[in-house]
C-alpha cells in the first residue's frame, strides 16, 4: 500500500502543493517506521487507515479510473503477446498443399449438385449435407467448416471482395448480388486461392440469382495452424530435414513479403542432386515423372535419416517394381524436375539454403527458383495447435 501511494505521489508531485506532498510523505514514513519496528496487526491497520485517509484527501483523482486501468492491463497484455510472437512463438497457418501429407493446407469441395446451368456445375458429382448439432462441433475441431451463402436479392453476382484480415484471421468478406451487399462473417480460409476460384464463381451479368437461391456451398478443410519456434535458431543454425518458415523478400519468382514453409534440404557450400529410385506414372499435367532420394556431396539421404522417415518411404512400391501409380497427397520422394532434373547438380552458395516441399508434385520450391539467404529464416515448425487431428502437437516429422 505504501509503495502504491508512493507511485501515485511521484506521478503527481509536480501538481501537488507543498502541504499535500509533506502530508503524504509523513503518512508513508509513519507506516514505514511501523513496518521496520515490527508493529502488531492492529498498529499496522491504524497506520494503513491513516495513509488511506491522507491519499484520499491530497491525491488528485484520475478521471475514468476504471477505463484507464483496463486499458493499461490490455496494453500490457498486448505488449507481452507481441513480445512472445516476435522472439519466441509466432502463429502461422498452412495456406497451400505443398507440404502434404506432412502438414495440410486448405482444401475445399464445392457442392456440384445444382445442375449444368449452375456456375458450380462440374463433371464431379459431390453432394454433401451440412451437419448440425454436435456433428458440426466435432467437424470444427477436426478443421472442417462449411460455407452456405444465399442471395438476399434478385440479380447477378456483381462483386467479390477479398476478406478483411486481422493477423492470420479472416474477419469479414463482402459480396454484392443485385446491388445488395452481403457480408460473410469470419469466412473460412481459402488457402492460396480465392472464394470465386474455390467455389467456381465468376462475374456473369447474364446469370441472375433469385432471392434465397444458393450462391456458394463449400465444405472447407482448413489448413494446419501451428506455432513457429523463433527462439532456437538464435543459438544454433537450421539443420537438414527440419521444416522451416522463411520470408520471400528478394526471391525472384515468388510473391514478395510473404512466408513460405518447406523442408530444409541443402546448406551453404553443399552440392545437391537426386538419385532416381522410381518413376511415377499418370501425374496430372506432367505424365511420367522420375522421383528419388536426395544426394548431398555424394552421400545419399534415405528413410533412415532423421526427418526423412516418411518422405523416402515410397509407400505402395512393389518388391521389384520401379513404376508407381500416381496418388493424390502421397509420398514419392522428390520429383526430379527443374534444378534437380536427371543429370543436374546444384551447388548451394555460402550462407544460403535450399528447400523443397514434401508434396513433391505440387510444390514451388528451390527446384524452380534456387537457394535463398539464410537470414530470411524466421524459425522452425514447432507445434500444430489446430485442428485436433493426428498432426496435433508434435505428431508430425
Amino acid at each position: 500500500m505504501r509503495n502504491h501511494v508512493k507511485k501515485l505521489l511521484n506521478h503527481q508531485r509536480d501538481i501537488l502543493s507543498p502541504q499535500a506532498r509533506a502530508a503524504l510523505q509523513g503518512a508513508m514514513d509513519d507506516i514505514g517506521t511501523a513496518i521496520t519496528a515490527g508493529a502488531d496487526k492492529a498498529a499496522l491497520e491504524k497506520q494503513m487507515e491513516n495513509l488511506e485517509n491522507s491519499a484520499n484527501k491530497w491525491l488528485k483523482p484520475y478521471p475514468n479510473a476504471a477505463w484507464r486501468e483496463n486499458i493499461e492491463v490490455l496494453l500490457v497484455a498486448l505488449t507481452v503477446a507481441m513480445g512472445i510472437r516476435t522472439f519466441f512463438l509466432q502463429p502461422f497457418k498452412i495456406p497451400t498443399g505443398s507440404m502434404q501429407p506432412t502438414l495440410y493446407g486448405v482444401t475445399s469441395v464445392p457442392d456440384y449438385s445444382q445442375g449444368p446451368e449452375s456456375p458450380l456445375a462440374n463433371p464431379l458429382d459431390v453432394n454433401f449435407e451440412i451437419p448440425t448439432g454436435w456433428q458440426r462441433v466435432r467437424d470444427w475441431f477436426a478443421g472442417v467448416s462449411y460455407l452456405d451463402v444465399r442471395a438476399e436479392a434478385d440479380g447477378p453476382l456483381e462483386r467479390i471482395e477479398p476478406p478483411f484480415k486481422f493477423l492470420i484471421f479472416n474477419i469479414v468478406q463482402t459480396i454484392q448480388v443485385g446491388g445488395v451487399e452481403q457480408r460473410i462473417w469470419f469466412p473460412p480460409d481459402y488457402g492460396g486461392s480465392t472464394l470465386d476460384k474455390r467455389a467456381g464463381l465468376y462475374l456473369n451479368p447474364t446469370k441472375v440469382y433469385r432471392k434465397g437461391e444458393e450462391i456458394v456451398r463449400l465444405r472447407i478443410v482448413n489448413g494446419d495452424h501451428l506455432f513457429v519456434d523463433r527462439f532456437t535458431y538464435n543459438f544454433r543454425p537450421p539443420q537438414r530435414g527440419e521444416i522451416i518458415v522463411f520470408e520471400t523478400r528478394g526471391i525472384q519468382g515468388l510473391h514478395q513479403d510473404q512466408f513460405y514453409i518447406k523442408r530444409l534440404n541443402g546448406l551453404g557450400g553443399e552440392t545437391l542432386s537426386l538419385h532416381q529410385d522410381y518413376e511415377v506414372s499418370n501425374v496430372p499435367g506432367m505424365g511420367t515423372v522420375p522421383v528419388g532420394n536426395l544426394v548431398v556431396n555424394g552421400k545419399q539421404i534415405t528413410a533412415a535419416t532423421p526427418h526423412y522417415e516418411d518422405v523416402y518411404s515410397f509407400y505402395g512400391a512393389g518388391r521389384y517394381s520401379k513404376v508407381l501409380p500416381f496418388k493424390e497427397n502421397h509420398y514419392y520422394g522428390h520429383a526430379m524436375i527443374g534444378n534437380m532434373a536427371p543429370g543436374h547438380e546444384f551447388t548451394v552458395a555460402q550462407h544460403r539454403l535450399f528447400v523443397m516441399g514434401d508434396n513433391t508434385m505440387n510444390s514451388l520450391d528451390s527446384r524452380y527458383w534456387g537457394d535463398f539467404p539464410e537470414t530470411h529464416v524466421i524459425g522452425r515448425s514447432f507445434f500444430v495447435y489446430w485442428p485436433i487431428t493426428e498432426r496435433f502437437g508434435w505428431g508430425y516429422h
Side-chain angles (χ1 to χ4, degrees):
M1 181 178 181
R2 182 188 60 176
N3 289 338
H4 183 63
V5 174
K6 181 180 179 180
K7 173 185 174 182
L8 294 176
L9 174 59
N10 289 334
H11 284 177
Q12 301 183 11
R13 187 176 296 276
D14 57 333
I15 60 174
L16 294 177
S17 66
Q19 181 183 8
R21 294 197 297 268
L24 289 167
Q25 189 63 53
M28 288 190 296
D29 290 344
D30 290 343
I31 197 171
T33 301
I35 293 171
T36 304
D40 58 23
K41 180 179 178 180
L44 286 175
E45 288 180 345
K46 182 177 180 180
Q47 293 297 338
M48 290 171 65
E49 184 180 353
N50 180 52
L51 179 59
E52 182 178 6
N53 291 335
S54 296
N56 291 334
K57 179 178 180 180
W58 299 109
L59 289 174
K60 297 183 180 297
Y62 287 100
N64 304 313
W67 278 101
R68 292 170 64 96
E69 183 176 353
N70 290 333
I71 291 174
E72 181 177 325
V73 170
L74 177 61
L75 290 176
V76 170
L78 287 175
T79 301
V80 171
M82 294 303 295
I84 292 174
R85 184 180 185 275
T86 302
F87 298 108
F88 297 96
L89 295 174
Q90 178 175 338
F92 183 81
K93 65 182 179 183
I94 309 295
T96 67
S98 68
M99 285 300 294
Q100 292 176 204
T102 307
L103 293 166
Y104 271 74
V106 179
T107 59
S108 58
V109 178
D111 184 350
Y112 295 123
S113 62
Q114 303 179 49
E117 300 304 320
S118 168
L120 298 182
N122 189 287
L124 296 175
D125 183 17
V126 183
N127 184 13
F128 56 83
E129 294 292 331
I130 297 180
T132 58
W134 283 111
Q135 181 59 47
R136 185 73 174 262
V137 174
R138 286 194 294 268
D139 280 2
W140 184 88
F141 278 105
V144 179
S145 57
Y146 299 87
L147 190 62
D148 188 11
V149 180
R150 299 175 182 272
E152 296 179 2
D154 295 346
L157 177 66
E158 299 163 335
R159 192 173 84 249
I160 303 176
E161 297 288 344
F164 171 75
K165 303 172 71 70
F166 177 73
L167 299 178
I168 64 173
F169 305 104
N170 293 330
I171 305 301
V172 65
Q173 184 171 17
T174 301
I175 66 173
Q176 182 172 307
V177 178
V180 176
E181 288 190 347
Q182 298 182 213
R183 289 178 175 82
I184 305 172
W185 289 99
F186 306 108
D189 296 327
Y190 305 123
S193 189
T194 57
L195 172 61
D196 50 334
K197 292 181 180 179
R198 290 284 189 186
L201 293 175
Y202 55 93
L203 304 182
N204 181 4
T206 65
K207 167 61 180 176
V208 176
Y209 292 95
R210 299 303 178 188
K211 184 176 180 179
E213 184 179 351
E214 202 164 65
I215 303 173
V216 178
R217 184 179 174 87
L218 284 177
R219 179 181 185 271
I220 297 120
V221 181
N222 291 281
D224 291 337
H225 289 57
L226 54 85
F227 287 119
V228 176
D229 172 10
R230 303 196 65 167
F231 185 71
T232 299
Y233 290 160
N234 291 309
F235 302 96
R236 68 163 177 84
Q239 298 175 356
R240 188 185 335 280
E242 292 182 329
I243 299 173
I244 63 173
V245 176
F246 57 95
E247 56 182 340
T248 61
R249 172 176 48 87
I251 302 178
Q252 293 187 358
L254 298 184
H255 296 292
Q256 300 297 292
D257 300 321
Q258 293 188 1
F259 296 110
Y260 272 32
I261 183 167
K262 306 288 181 184
R263 192 179 299 274
L264 175 59
N265 291 281
L267 307 175
E270 295 179 339
T271 298
L272 311 176
S273 62
L274 289 175
H275 172 268
Q276 182 173 337
D277 294 282
Y278 298 91
E279 287 184 336
V280 180
S281 61
N282 300 319
V283 180
M286 302 174 72
T288 299
V289 179
V291 297
N293 290 51
L294 180 67
V295 179
V296 181
N297 295 335
K299 182 179 179 180
Q300 190 168 335
I301 304 298
T302 69
T305 306
H307 304 296
Y308 290 90
E309 297 89 346
D310 290 329
V311 179
Y312 292 144
S313 293
F314 299 105
Y315 297 125
R319 185 172 182 181
Y320 302 106
S321 175
K322 286 297 181 180
V323 179
L324 300 173
F326 175 78
K327 294 181 181 179
E328 195 72 34
N329 299 327
H330 192 72
Y331 287 117
Y332 288 113
H334 283 111
M336 301 175 70
I337 51 182
N339 293 320
M340 294 283 102
H344 285 224
E345 291 184 341
F346 187 93
T347 299
V348 185
Q350 293 292 339
H351 307 297
R352 296 176 76 86
L353 303 173
F354 189 98
V355 295
M356 289 188 282
D358 289 351
N359 190 354
T360 183
M361 305 297 180
N362 187 27
S363 173
L364 180 61
D365 52 39
S366 292
R367 291 173 297 176
Y368 296 94
W369 42 259
D371 52 19
F372 66 94
E374 59 186 18
T375 53
H376 282 26
V377 176
I378 69 166
R380 64 189 181 111
S381 174
F382 177 63
F383 186 96
V384 173
Y385 64 87
W386 189 78
I388 302 176
T389 64
E390 67 277 1
R391 294 180 304 282
F392 177 78
W394 293 277
Y396 61 95
H397 299 286

